[in-house]
Amino acid sequence: MSSLSMITAAAYCHHTGRAFTPPRKDFSYIENFLLMIGHVDESTRTPNPRYVDVLERLWAVVADHEIPCSTAALLQTASALPDVISSLISAFSAGYGPLHGGAIDVAYKNIEEIGTVDDVPEKLARVKAGKERLYGYGHRIYRVTDPRFTYISDILGELTDEVSKDPLLQVAFALDRAAAEDEYFISRNLRPNADLFAAFAYKSL
């Protein structure tokens, strides 16, 4: 896991043109990850403790979710006794898909495509007509509001200043309100899932 963190951080720094900072022995896993990618406070040159706490909780919400598709893919591949990296690649490939971990990114892009609060009704109309999907709503297991959604919403409440800088958040709020009152979604037990607001939480950091 530590090697994976360093490889990911190094790749990120290379991609963004940032200087890679070596990890510290006295830092936690997440503190070191933020340090390595240069996400630090300008005055202390160390990760903001508030952001470390938020990221720890966000990762716990995703990790503590039994055996989803990516975990099953890793275990299936590992059962053939390949090397560890090959098993992890299977998990990453599954996790990248838009119906799994990639859904966070797709949900955010979906909201970007809506554009403004005034365009929300048209989006819902296209979804109900079967012309488009509404990422961030519905779940294969949950027929109630995804408990992770509630948890992430609470985290967003703690990041008011950071989140308020993203104008698309108001579009997401309007989308959530409209869908929650629409009989189409109510009758089908379609409730918001973790993907709807997760991207805003990550982006705010």
Side-chain angles (χ1 to χ4, degrees):
M1 288 295 290
S2 59
S3 297
L4 175 62
S5 177
M6 290 185 66
I7 293 171
T8 303
Y12 173 80
C13 289
H14 176 74
H15 179 70
T16 59
R18 297 188 178 198
F20 175 81
T21 304
R24 288 173 41 171
K25 291 183 178 180
D26 58 325
F27 274 12
S28 68
Y29 187 86
I30 290 182
E31 283 177 316
N32 266 322
F33 182 72
L34 292 176
L35 177 68
M36 289 187 290
I37 65 174
H39 198 313
V40 295
D41 187 277
E42 292 184 3
S43 59
T44 64
R45 303 308 301 171
T46 59
N48 186 322
R50 183 160 161 263
Y51 292 165
V52 171
D53 175 64
V54 167
L55 200 53
E56 284 178 345
R57 286 185 286 154
L58 284 172
W59 282 11
V61 167
V62 175
D64 187 19
H65 201 50
E66 298 184 2
I67 302 182
C69 176
S70 54
T71 304
L74 183 146
L75 294 174
Q76 183 75 16
T77 302
S79 69
L81 302 181
D83 58 273
V84 175
I85 298 300
S86 296
S87 298
L88 286 171
I89 289 173
S90 293
F92 294 154
S93 298
Y96 180 71
L99 295 184
H100 193 19
I104 293 176
D105 188 47
V106 176
Y108 188 82
K109 289 179 179 178
N110 205 222
I111 294 172
E112 278 186 317
E113 292 170 357
I114 293 174
T116 68
V117 172
D118 293 337
D119 295 319
V120 168
E122 290 184 17
K123 170 66 177 179
L124 293 182
R126 293 194 296 272
V127 170
K128 291 187 287 185
K131 297 179 179 179
E132 296 180 11
R133 297 189 63 159
L134 181 59
Y135 284 89
Y137 250 78
H139 194 277
R140 291 181 183 274
I141 304 298
Y142 298 125
R143 289 297 177 263
V144 295
T145 298
D146 186 335
R148 298 171 300 163
F149 168 83
T150 303
Y151 195 74
I152 292 172
S153 297
D154 291 341
I155 291 176
L156 279 176
E158 300 174 20
L159 298 169
T160 305
D161 293 338
E162 292 88 346
V163 172
S164 62
K165 298 175 184 177
D166 192 339
L168 287 178
L169 183 61
Q170 298 307 315
V171 178
F173 283 149
L175 182 67
D176 182 36
R177 287 194 299 269
E181 298 172 355
D182 194 299
E183 184 58 31
Y184 176 90
F185 296 94
I186 295 173
S187 63
R188 290 168 173 77
N189 290 319
L190 296 174
R191 302 287 188 269
N193 59 45
D195 304 318
L196 186 61
F197 287 154
F200 291 98
Y202 283 115
K203 188 177 180 183
S204 68
L205 299 176

